[in-house]
Amino acid sequence: TFFLKPCAIAQPINPTSTPTSVVAKIPGQVELENGFEAITTHDDKSAKDWFKKAKDAGNVEAEYEIYVMDKFPQQFEFTGVNSINYLSLSVCKPDDVKKIVQILLKITLRSAVQGNVRAETRLWNFYCRDNSYLGVPLNIPEALKWLRKAAENGDPASEDALGQFYENNLNEYFQTSLPKDMELSRHWYELAASHGWPDAKIRLAQLNSENSA
């Protein structure tokens, strides 16, 4: 369904592909990216050292990574793509789930406010789900807010999802007030495709085929 599709696409093609403009304005971002690079080579010790340096420099996303690394050691090398929902499934004690989710959510919010695109992506994926069982209900306006920010920060999955909303594929399902705008839809698909997102390339081909029919 459309509900599962957009909410499952937050995984970046390359966790180290944060736009240069974002890297330049967030403290400790270079160290954070070095940490993710170490993860790709399975060098956990170096990754942890880089994350600590990033956190000391004031990077909130590094704080999230360190918390996940300590709380979910088996998930460590995947922390760059793990959603809050996914991590909540790894909590063994049911009584701890809501508490841990709130901690993850608070750190993610602080990181997103700082401009970290990974956090922005986690937030829109989180809010587009009904997480009432975790104490956080479905919140489409909040999801759209962070979706737009993530897309504007160059996340290809978010660009593609925003294109879907403007194409009106998702508005009826999510009952949003976002108007259909094929020009904006194509704009976001083209950006996502230019950043390597395969689904956007397929949608562009479909649009071109429809226009030429």
Side-chain angles (χ1 to χ4, degrees), residues 177-189:
S177 59
L178 200 67
K180 181 174 182 177
D181 189 321
M182 291 307 298
E183 185 176 345
L184 279 175
S185 177
R186 179 178 288 275
H187 165 74
W188 288 110
Y189 285 153

Side-chain angles (χ1 to χ4, degrees), residues 53-200:
K53 289 178 181 178
K55 179 182 177 182
D56 290 343
N59 191 292
V60 183
E61 185 65 13
E63 183 180 336
Y64 179 90
E65 298 303 328
I66 291 172
Y67 179 82
V68 172
M69 177 185 68
D70 291 339
K71 200 73 179 178
F72 305 93
Q74 304 230 344
Q75 310 294 339
F76 176 38
E77 69 175 290
F78 303 107
T79 55
V81 297
N82 274 346
S83 69
I84 295 172
N85 306 76
Y86 181 79
L87 290 173
S88 71
L89 298 176
S90 303
V91 180
C92 295
K93 297 181 180 179
D95 293 342
D96 292 342
V97 175
K98 287 185 179 181
K99 178 182 177 181
I100 290 174
V101 165
Q102 286 301 319
I103 292 172
L104 291 170
L105 190 56
K106 286 179 180 179
I107 300 174
T108 297
L109 281 167
R110 288 172 47 229
S111 180
V113 168
Q114 193 177 45
N116 282 293
V117 68
R118 290 182 181 88
E120 294 165 347
T121 302
R122 280 199 305 277
L123 283 179
W124 80 256
N125 272 264
F126 184 75
Y127 284 121
C128 78
R129 303 171 187 268
D130 186 358
N131 296 298
S132 298
Y133 71 103
L134 297 174
V136 185
L138 178 73
N139 190 335
I140 294 302
E142 194 71 6
L144 284 174
K145 168 187 170 182
W146 293 111
L147 170 61
R148 185 178 298 279
K149 287 182 179 294
E152 291 172 349
N153 263 340
D155 177 66
S158 301
E159 292 166 342
D160 178 71
L162 193 53
Q164 290 187 60
F165 271 103
Y166 278 119
E167 191 183 351
N168 214 28
N169 281 346
L170 302 176
N171 286 334
E172 184 177 350
Y173 189 93
F174 287 110
Q175 297 183 334
T176 73
S177 59
L178 200 67
K180 181 174 182 177
D181 189 321
M182 291 307 298
E183 185 176 345
L184 279 175
S185 177
R186 179 178 288 275
H187 165 74
W188 288 110
Y189 285 153
E190 287 177 346
L191 280 177
S194 71
H195 292 147
W197 196 252
D199 287 355

Side-chain angles (χ1 to χ4, degrees), residues 3-65:
F3 178 73
L4 293 177
K5 182 66 174 177
C7 292
I9 59 178
Q11 298 184 358
I13 294 173
N14 179 359
T16 64
S17 59
T18 301
T20 304
S21 59
V22 176
V23 172
K25 69 181 181 180
I26 301 176
Q29 194 70 11
V30 172
E31 291 84 354
L32 182 76
E33 300 303 330
N34 287 341
F36 281 114
E37 184 63 31
I39 287 177
T40 64
T41 60
H42 306 285
D43 187 350
D44 294 358
K45 182 180 183 304
S46 292
K48 185 174 183 179
D49 290 342
W50 281 116
F51 287 147
K52 286 182 176 179
K53 289 178 181 178
K55 179 182 177 182
D56 290 343
N59 191 292
V60 183
E61 185 65 13
E63 183 180 336
Y64 179 90
E65 298 303 328

